[in-house]
Amino acid sequence: MSGDVITLTDENFEKTIKENSLILVDFWATWCFPCKMIAPTVEELSEEYKGRVAFGKLNVDENQKIAMQFGVTSIPTLILFKNGEIADKIIGAVPKEYLDSKIKEHL
């Protein structure tokens, strides 16, 4: 795992979730202002947790199948997957400290 944020698609989603024991997925869209607000936080955390937690971004406009599968109706929605299962779900642009505490709960 690197600190790089993985671009997720309908095609690579399942494989990526299974390959990473802990991954935070940011469900977003280009037109979503709160998504743009939280993007730098996701980038920062991906660097801070490099090698321990994977981070991915899924554009809901381009990958509607996965967004629908996980019931994403509001964005940004951040879902933390642990061993392929949903461990936590965060909706909205939340402060970095909040996201950080949620990740630490599952490490």
Side-chain angles (χ1 to χ4, degrees):
M1 284 185 284
S2 71
D4 298 325
V5 178
I6 303 161
T7 300
L8 295 170
T9 64
D10 285 344
E11 289 73 36
N12 72 358
F13 187 86
E14 296 295 334
K15 181 177 183 277
T16 306
I17 297 304
K18 287 186 176 110
E19 285 175 349
N20 295 281
S21 57
L22 194 60
I23 180 168
L24 182 77
V25 178
D26 177 8
F27 290 81
W28 70 286
T30 54
W31 49 264
C32 166
F33 184 72
C35 298
K36 291 176 185 170
M37 287 171 47
I38 203 164
T41 301
V42 172
E43 295 280 340
E44 285 172 32
L45 289 169
S46 77
E47 285 302 317
E48 290 171 25
Y49 285 98
K50 196 172 198 165
R52 297 185 292 158
V53 180
F55 288 79
K57 290 178 75 75
L58 183 117
N59 183 318
V60 297
D61 288 336
E62 296 171 2
N63 302 281
Q64 295 179 3
K65 182 181 132 217
I66 295 295
M68 285 174 40
Q69 182 180 331
F70 290 99
V72 174
T73 55
S74 300
I75 52 173
T77 291
L78 298 119
I79 301 180
L80 192 61
F81 292 89
K82 187 171 190 172
N83 301 319
E85 302 292 321
I86 295 175
D88 221 323
K89 191 181 224 184
I90 301 120
I91 298 171
V94 295
K96 181 180 177 185
E97 295 74 28
Y98 182 78
L99 260 185
D100 190 41
S101 71
K102 289 292 186 181
I103 293 168
K104 283 183 176 144
E105 280 178 32
H106 299 284
L107 274 176

